[in-house]
Amino acid sequence: MLLPIITYPNKQLKIRSKEVVNFDELLHRFLDDMYETMISSNGIGLAAIQVANPIRALILCIPDEEGNQSKESTLEIMNPVIHAPQGNVLYQEGCLSVPGFYEDVERYETLTLQYQNRHGDVCMLQASELLAIAIQHEIDHLEGKLFIEKLTYNRRKKFEKEYKKTLKEKK
């Protein structure tokens, strides 16, 4: 089932998500719905808070070399904790909750992620490149933060100006 994605400036996006404690069929269905929603929106990641559920859950599906995404290669991440972040990289990010706006954001280049899967099993993952960037972007959502908050003052002003212009065009 497709879920409605909350967009900026909805205040729900500022909520800090709560830990996942029930790894039951309800969570499994919700994760499946998140996957359908993300794919239908041409996304590579989606945090639960973006679909109005303030739990520490996110999914990621980095496209393969041909640009394909599959359910089997999707990471379902609950209660993530980043360890040993290293290096810095600049990458142009976008967000399903801030549609149509892309900007360079500095992130850690590599990291180790500890998380739980849909069954509650503890997992570890080494991440670099786009996967590391996407993990950090989605975890920011769980903390109630958007990528635009990482922009410099001038870039943030540019965003606000473009956002207001977009709103006027929609009217």
Side-chain angles (χ1 to χ4, degrees):
M1 176 175 78
L2 293 182
L3 305 168
I5 295 174
I6 297 172
T7 57
Y8 176 85
N10 189 308
K11 299 231 183 300
Q12 281 184 283
L13 293 168
K14 300 301 244 164
I15 295 172
R16 187 175 189 284
S17 297
K18 304 272 189 256
E19 189 172 328
V20 176
V21 291
N22 295 317
F23 296 85
D24 55 10
E25 186 57 38
L26 195 62
L27 175 67
H28 299 183
R29 274 197 309 272
F30 176 66
L31 292 169
D32 293 341
D33 291 346
M34 282 181 65
Y35 173 79
E36 282 184 45
T37 302
M38 178 188 70
I39 293 300
S40 75
S41 302
N42 297 315
I44 63 168
L46 187 66
I49 192 64
Q50 290 178 274
V51 289
N53 190 348
I55 61 171
R56 294 187 74 74
L58 62 94
I59 60 169
L60 293 167
C61 190
I62 306 298
D64 62 20
E65 292 81 31
E66 288 83 41
N68 299 316
Q69 292 170 288
S70 68
K71 182 89 166 99
E72 297 73 42
S73 64
T74 299
L75 287 170
E76 297 173 330
I77 298 171
M78 271 55 67
N79 305 322
V81 179
I82 292 176
H83 297 282
Q86 294 183 324
N88 290 315
V89 63
L90 204 60
Y91 193 85
Q92 188 174 75
E93 295 185 24
C95 181
L96 296 176
S97 290
V98 189
F101 187 76
Y102 302 88
E103 192 61 73
D104 289 341
V105 176
E106 189 171 316
R107 300 278 187 187
Y108 293 117
E109 190 171 17
T110 64
L111 57 84
T112 300
L113 185 70
Q114 178 183 323
Y115 66 97
Q116 290 173 280
N117 65 16
R118 70 166 43 211
H119 305 290
D121 302 325
V122 176
C123 305
M124 297 294 280
L125 170 74
Q126 301 290 323
S128 61
E129 301 175 353
L130 181 55
L131 179 58
I133 292 162
I135 286 168
Q136 294 168 80
H137 177 104
E138 299 307 331
I139 289 176
D140 278 355
H141 279 297
L142 303 182
E143 298 298 327
K145 297 187 178 352
L146 294 171
F147 83 103
I148 56 175
E149 294 173 48
K150 294 192 171 292
L151 302 179
T152 63
Y153 177 79
N154 287 340
R155 285 188 170 160
R156 183 70 189 259
K157 288 295 175 199
K158 175 187 166 203
F159 163 75
E160 295 293 344
K161 185 177 177 183
E162 288 180 18
Y163 177 74
K164 286 177 184 169
K165 182 181 172 190
T166 303
L167 287 180
K168 283 182 184 175
E169 289 171 356
K170 286 182 179 178
K171 289 182 179 180

